[in-house]
Amino acid sequence: MRTAALLAFLLCLLTGVAFGQSKPRKATARRGDGVQVLLQRYGLNTRQQQQQFRRLNQGRLTKAGGLVTGRSYVLPAAAPKATAARAKSKASGSLKATNPTSRGKSTQPLLTANLFGAAYSPVPVRDRALRGAVYYLSPGHGGPDPGAIGQYGTYKLAEDEYAYDVTVRLARVLMEHGATVYVMVQDPNDGIRDLNVLPIDYDEVTYPHQVIPLSQLGRLRQRIAQVNKLYAHHKGAYQRLLSLHVDSRSAGQNIDVFFYHHANSTSGLRLAKNIHKVFTNRYKRAQPNRPYSGNVSERGSLYEVRTSHAPAVFMELGNIRNAKDQRRFVVPDNRQALANWIYEGLLADYTGR
């Protein structure tokens, strides 16, 4: 009798383990996530996995097939090949490991990237969707010039700190997908910061390790000289420059993200339109009751747009003095959303070239 009871107890335990192992994984959508971005966070990169995700979550997606922020979704199973690769990696001790900041596992080599800080390094290479693409990311101002200043309660918000945080977040996403990325203004110790109020400092340098001049024109000449030097080095490759800024207007003026390009650059115009299209669609999902007013226009007088050999787009992410726009910057998830949406536009431009 005692033996039978023991066997029954063990059977229950084994059954419970079996059920526990078969329980599907779930993930919660963050602000700015699309299906592809969410799946790639968990190392689920194939078209079959995207199709399986949509089947598993029928009725939980938006009418346009998008995700709802804060909603939980069932994840498809990892491909057997990926599972085997992870097991082999663990056994051999090779550099294929879990990246805690990406909420998932990479089956590709990890890139060392001190620029992002310890919490966001190393960088897992999710796929090679942007292999062959070269990006020059130029966050506005830096060094002796903090750029526009906004008042946020008792705190001051500096344009260069928020433009920089979005820039390095974007750089990391681009690297995850195989792109070659140059961040033209770098801070040696900031990394990606999950803070609302980003402390103001003045220690940024121009790539690779140049002191930033006091003169505005000198600063712009310095960084674009580096861009054009690198452009010659990568001659023949798909190359693009993206300059990220935060505007300063009257405190009562709420503005959307908008884009400038050179009048004579068809490639710059196409790039701006591709990013703008993503933002338009994302706003329709995130704020369906408010029209998105961001636009694409010519501005050949901008130094970076005018003198860069790489086709360039100059972006204004909002008004740093406006309370509504400030929420776009001070919430770390919002800054990540901006980076994700820009990436989607860059990917569309690269794959559609």
Side-chain angles (χ1 to χ4, degrees), residues 192-213:
I192 293 174
R193 293 172 287 176
D194 290 324
L195 302 172
N196 291 340
V197 176
L198 301 180
I200 302 173
D201 60 25
Y202 304 92
D203 59 347
E204 294 87 4
V205 296
T206 297
Y207 174 90
H209 301 289
Q210 300 180 79
V211 176
I212 298 177

Side-chain angles (χ1 to χ4, degrees), residues 108-181:
Q108 301 295 334
L110 299 176
L111 302 174
T112 57
N114 296 332
L115 194 61
F116 307 129
Y120 282 87
S121 294
V123 180
V125 181
R126 303 296 184 188
D127 56 47
R128 303 292 181 179
L130 291 173
R131 184 176 185 178
V134 181
Y135 295 101
Y136 307 104
L137 304 183
S138 178
H141 306 274
D145 177 19
I149 300 292
Q151 194 68 37
Y152 182 70
T154 60
Y155 299 99
K156 291 188 181 299
L157 308 180
E159 173 185 1
D160 69 329
E161 302 297 341
Y162 289 90
Y164 182 76
D165 195 70
V166 175
T167 296
V168 288
R169 288 173 185 273
L170 173 60
R172 189 177 188 278
V173 175
L174 294 173
M175 290 174 64
E176 284 184 330
H177 300 286
T180 297
V181 182

